[in-house]
Amino acid sequence: MEEPLISSHDMPATGSLIGGKWRNSERTFEVRDKFTGRKIADVAEASREHVALAVATARKAMESAAQSPHERASVLRGAADLLQKHRRRFEELVLADTGFTIADAAMEVDRAIITLNLSAEEAVRIVGEMVPFAASPGAHRRLGWTQRFPVGVVCAITPFNSPLNTVLHKVAPAYAAGNAVVLKPSAYTPLTAALLGEILLEAGMPAGFLGIVHGDGDSVGSWLLEEQDIAFYTFTGSTRVGRIIQQAAGLRRTQMELGSIASTIVCADADLDRAIPKIANAGFRKAGQVCTSVQRLYAHRSNFDEVVERLAAFAATLPAGDPRLPDTRIGPLISEAAAKRAQTWIEEAAACGARIRHGGRRERSVLEPTVLTEASADQKIWCAEAFAPVIAVHPFDSMEQAYAGANDTPYGLAAGVFTQDVDTALRAASRLRFGTVQINEASSARSDVMPFGGVKDSGFGKEGPAYAIREMTEERLVVFNP
């Protein structure tokens, strides 16, 4: 018999978390290691009754077990300490859940600790502002101020590509603001979220303030949309699903981080020693499965050949394979089907004249980091979100041409520009229609403290604890007329 990848001691509960108790069900689904394909666990899929009970329990908890801001901050700091204490378990679960490399799994834990501590800080400084009534004739004696209150039960639906930190970017600010949360993690990566639930309870979060329901979007996700006691939906995933959630939410509030085709522009004056490693990391880390991963790279025609040559050479230094080996830099995609799809897109582009400068080969779910040139505008590898370790490079002659190319997608999440010219940088910030424009960084550079969100079909609303708390609270005006 094969040795299990994760010991039974390290395995978290695999049921639905409702009211502080883990509940099993007759229906289960398998979780498999993304590199070996071996089964890790059977996870209980939430029933319709479980979903309704989780929402009702969350609502009741807000009415009967509310904590003060100081208490919520203490819980979040305690969870950060527990996460550090149990980081080995978390890293192993993240690696098995996702196929991340050792370095990427460690970074996921590091950033999650930061997110918890940032949320704790924000929990105790949720304030409104004074209203300048003196500006209105006859109202100058009035006093007015705003206060912020929890919005209600928050439903968090999270993706596979950040099973700990993205989950916390939703759960931690929601709780910091005084809301209860019902979480539906990705069915690809449920184990990390389950262990997170355990440590949040251990840290002192009231039992009803976190529910976790497992399953796929067609069943559990749809049932969550039917629950009218949910006041706010926060979702990271595809634009297609985002539209379904938005339609079901009606007048209820939402925060959506949706699809993306991220671009980075390398200007003629760019420092390539600085730019190339950042671009490669942004395009290939987590096997390219990041919504801001560099997919389109625009290089000025004067340095196009050098950019391509250096990027391909850098990609060749990034071993792809077993994520548990210390030297591996590119692990598997979330499934073999995802890797086959990306390889098919590469081959289709090559058949139509694109040149593969490096990579393109696949072994099961592992796809080599790939650099392409001369992909036509109608090829999927250029005009659809690849979510794979693939960078397509295209030359440009003028900055306006580069801006137009980057803007020419339905999406607008993040873009990067490498230049040493201040005027070019400021012009890029105004011309690129993206939620984030990075100067001398690639599109996929993120600090957990910053506001993060997109425009156009990439969604709306902001993550980042301070900004997410504003999304997840109601602003109330108080007027005192002496």
Side-chain angles (χ1 to χ4, degrees):
M1 178 180 293
E2 292 181 323
E3 289 295 320
L5 292 168
I6 301 173
S7 70
S8 58
H9 173 74
D10 288 332
M11 184 65 66
T14 54
S16 295
L17 177 61
I18 303 172
K21 298 179 180 179
W22 296 94
R23 300 167 186 259
N24 291 319
S25 63
E26 293 181 359
R27 295 187 61 180
T28 62
F29 60 92
E30 293 181 346
V31 180
R32 292 188 173 273
D33 182 90
K34 304 309 180 288
F35 178 71
T36 67
R38 288 164 53 188
K39 187 170 77 170
I40 305 170
D42 289 307
V43 174
E45 183 171 356
S47 66
R48 181 68 185 88
E49 292 72 22
H50 283 157
V51 170
L53 182 59
V55 175
T57 301
R59 180 179 179 180
K60 183 177 180 181
M62 289 191 65
E63 296 169 351
S64 61
Q67 295 175 304
S68 69
H70 173 76
E71 289 172 320
R72 298 196 297 268
S74 179
V75 168
L76 291 167
R77 291 191 187 97
D81 292 342
L82 287 170
L83 186 51
Q84 178 63 46
K85 177 181 178 181
H86 298 292
R87 67 173 302 132
R88 183 191 65 81
R89 287 182 68 195
F90 274 100
E91 288 173 4
E92 288 184 358
L93 282 175
V94 167
L95 195 155
D97 255 350
T98 63
F100 288 179
T101 62
I102 294 171
D104 284 337
M107 180 62 70
E108 182 82 0
V109 175
D110 289 339
R111 289 183 58 187
I113 292 170
I114 292 170
T115 300
L116 280 164
N117 282 318
L118 287 172
S119 298
E121 292 176 13
E122 296 300 333
V124 295
R125 56 188 187 199
I126 301 173
V127 296
E129 58 187 19
M130 296 298 296
V131 179
F133 273 109
S136 299
H140 62 281
R141 294 186 182 277
R142 296 183 185 182
L143 296 175
W145 63 89
T146 61
Q147 293 179 254
R148 307 198 75 87
F149 296 89
V151 70
V153 177
V154 171
C155 174
I157 302 175
T158 57
F160 68 79
N161 64 330
S162 182
L164 181 59
N165 194 41
T166 290
V167 168
L168 279 171
H169 265 286
K170 300 179 186 302
V171 172
Y175 171 68
N179 302 294
V181 184
V182 177
L183 166 68
K184 193 201 88 63
S186 168
Y188 282 114
T189 56
L191 302 178
T192 308
L195 183 55
L196 175 63
E198 291 183 5
I199 73 157
L200 287 170
L201 291 176
E202 185 179 347
M205 181 181 283
F209 268 75
L210 178 64
I212 301 177
V213 289
H214 295 294
D216 62 33
D218 291 340
S219 56
V220 176
S222 296
W223 297 332
L224 286 166
L225 297 181
E226 295 171 0
E227 289 296 322
Q228 295 304 303
D229 280 342
I230 291 174
F232 189 99
Y233 292 91
T234 173
F235 171 70
T236 298
S238 71
T239 298
R240 180 188 67 82
V241 175
R243 287 194 173 100
I244 294 171
I245 294 172
Q246 189 60 44
Q247 185 176 20
L251 294 178
R252 292 175 291 172
R253 292 162 57 186
T254 61
Q255 181 269 322
M256 299 279 171
E257 185 197 324
L258 308 177
S260 171
I261 299 176
S263 294
T264 292
I265 299 170
V266 180
C267 300
D269 65 342
D271 179 352
L272 297 187
D273 289 339
R274 179 179 185 181
I276 295 300
K278 289 179 177 291
I279 293 165
N281 181 63
F284 302 138
R285 71 184 183 92
K286 294 186 178 181
Q289 299 170 117
V290 179
C291 50
T292 54
S293 293
V294 178
Q295 181 173 338
R296 291 185 180 185
L297 180 63
Y298 294 89
H300 191 270
R301 198 173 296 276
S302 64
N303 60 14
F304 175 79
D305 290 339
E306 184 180 0
V307 167
V308 172
E309 181 181 339
R310 292 177 66 163
L311 184 61
F314 198 99
T317 69
L318 303 175
D322 186 346
R324 292 178 175 83
L325 298 179
D327 292 337
T328 299
R329 290 295 173 264
I330 313 294
L333 275 74
I334 196 64
S335 67
E336 187 168 356
K340 285 180 178 178
R341 173 191 54 77
Q343 183 186 38
T344 298
W345 287 12
I346 294 167
E347 292 173 346
E348 287 175 352
C352 293
R355 295 180 61 190
I356 300 175
R357 301 303 186 101
H358 181 270
R361 293 176 292 272
R362 177 184 65 84
E363 184 174 350
R364 293 185 301 169
S365 56
V366 176
L367 180 67
E368 288 182 320
T370 301
V371 179
L372 287 169
T373 59
E374 300 167 51
S376 60
D378 60 347
Q379 289 299 313
K380 292 177 181 177
I381 206 67
W382 182 260
C383 67
E385 186 173 18
F387 230 58
V390 182
I391 299 176
V393 194
H394 190 77
F396 69 92
D397 297 298
S398 70
M399 290 304 298
E400 289 301 319
Q401 186 182 23
Y403 301 148
N407 286 332
D408 187 26
T409 80
Y411 307 109
L413 188 55
V417 180
F418 286 91
T419 180
Q420 299 183 63
D421 183 80
V422 173
D423 289 340
T424 299
L426 294 175
R427 179 67 173 164
S430 66
R431 291 286 286 115
L432 290 168
R433 193 181 172 204
F434 291 81
T436 302
V437 177
Q438 306 265 7
I439 307 300
N440 289 324
E441 285 286 358
S443 55
S444 190
R446 182 177 176 184
S447 173
D448 293 289
V449 73
M450 75 187 204
F452 182 75
V455 298
K456 303 195 292 184
D457 284 1
S458 288
F460 47 82
K462 297 296 183 184
E463 286 188 346
Y467 307 92
I469 283 172
R470 292 188 66 86
E471 301 275 351
M472 297 178 185
T473 51
E474 294 177 341
E475 188 173 54
R476 186 174 305 164
L477 172 65
V478 180
V479 181
F480 180 62
N481 190 6

